[in-house]
Amino acid sequence: AVMEPVSFKARDGMMIRGWLTVPNAPTAKMPLVVMPHGGPYDIVDRWEYNADAQLLASRGYAVLQINFRGSGGYGKDFANAGVKEWGGKMQNDVTDGTRAVLEKYAIDSNRICLFGISYGAYASLMGVAMEPALYKCAIGYSGVYDLKLMRNQGDISKRESGQTFLNDVLEKDDAWLRARSPVDQVARIKAPVLLIHGGEDKRTPPAHAESMRRALTGAGNPPEWVYESIE
């Protein structure tokens, strides 16, 4: 399927770029999967074969990959613009990109879903919390859902370099961390959610998914649950 470049100005005027994979010969308005990349810093989606995007396109979905601020490939200033913007301007870039594509392409506005891995899973769950009218479902795969937990569990926090990284990109304030954590925003999530996680994950420990599952269930929106552990 064809992968087309997209660009748009975010709400604060910053130029953001990305890619839209378009299914071959669509016969009607296309459902859209927005697929934020993991990382998030210094990682970039490029014009290249992406198995997930091509699989979805072969089933009729358009797939949007946005290189939100913080991504690599656009210079140091662009990467640094994402510092301490989890759930903030980085998230707004994903929303603004989705709306820009809606204006230009034949997208079915009632069939837009978010899907991501690691930070992409975080952005997917924050997306349905912040934009409940825009996104109709979310899939989080090996996600970070509790930023306070991220500061204390997982292999990043166990290294001195990891602690330095966390201090650089996240605030220490508990109120800030809660406001930017999907697990604390479940009352705003109305869309159906699928959570996928591995029981031996060291980077994003299963406690993230388990906590997110409990919170969603307590809010009356129990997620679909796929969990695998090595016995």
Side-chain angles (χ1 to χ4, degrees):
V2 174
M3 194 175 183
E4 301 181 4
V6 296
S7 61
F8 59 93
K9 282 190 176 181
R11 63 191 70 182
D12 65 351
M14 180 170 281
M15 182 61 69
I16 308 294
R17 296 172 175 83
W19 304 96
L20 184 72
T21 301
V22 181
N24 294 322
T27 58
K29 283 191 172 183
M30 300 174 288
L32 175 67
V33 176
V34 181
M35 200 165 67
H37 64 68
Y41 300 103
D42 294 319
I43 303 298
V44 62
D45 284 319
R46 303 183 185 278
W47 189 86
E48 61 188 7
Y49 184 88
N50 181 288
D52 290 331
Q54 290 294 323
L55 172 65
L56 290 164
S58 74
R59 269 61 176 174
Y61 297 91
V63 181
L64 178 61
Q65 297 169 269
I66 298 169
N67 287 320
F68 44 81
R69 70 194 71 197
S71 301
Y74 301 98
K76 186 175 180 180
D77 289 345
F78 187 84
N80 288 341
V83 170
K84 297 185 178 177
E85 292 297 343
W86 289 55
K89 291 179 181 178
M90 288 199 297
Q91 193 68 44
N92 291 341
D93 291 345
V94 176
T95 300
D96 294 345
T98 303
R99 296 192 186 282
V101 166
L102 270 174
E103 292 179 2
K104 184 176 179 182
Y105 293 85
I107 301 295
D108 185 345
S109 61
N110 292 313
R111 300 177 69 194
I112 303 176
C113 188
L114 286 152
F115 162 58
I117 302 171
S118 190
Y119 174 85
Y122 166 87
S124 296
L125 271 296
M126 280 302 291
V128 287
M130 295 175 66
E131 302 291 339
L134 180 62
Y135 299 111
K136 307 306 179 185
C137 64
I139 301 170
Y141 187 165
S142 298
V144 172
Y145 307 120
D146 184 338
L147 297 187
K148 189 175 180 181
L149 181 67
M150 183 182 176
R151 292 191 64 93
N152 298 292
Q153 290 193 29
D155 62 358
I156 295 176
S157 64
K158 295 185 185 303
R159 303 190 306 269
E160 183 176 348
S161 60
Q163 286 288 346
T164 300
F165 167 79
L166 293 172
N167 289 335
D168 285 345
V169 302
L170 301 175
E171 298 285 359
K172 295 182 179 179
D173 178 66
D174 283 354
W176 188 95
L177 295 171
R178 287 193 299 271
R180 307 293 180 102
S181 294
V183 72
D184 293 303
Q185 308 302 319
V186 291
R188 302 164 62 185
I189 297 176
K190 308 303 179 186
V193 172
L194 166 62
L195 297 177
I196 306 169
H197 219 94
E200 305 300 319
D201 197 323
K202 306 302 183 186
R203 180 58 46 87
T204 57
H208 281 282
E210 292 163 352
S211 180
M212 192 71 203
R213 183 190 190 189
R214 286 194 301 270
L216 283 166
T217 300
N221 184 17
E224 295 290 326
W225 179 250
V226 178
Y227 181 84
E228 293 290 342
S229 181
I230 298 174
E231 296 297 338

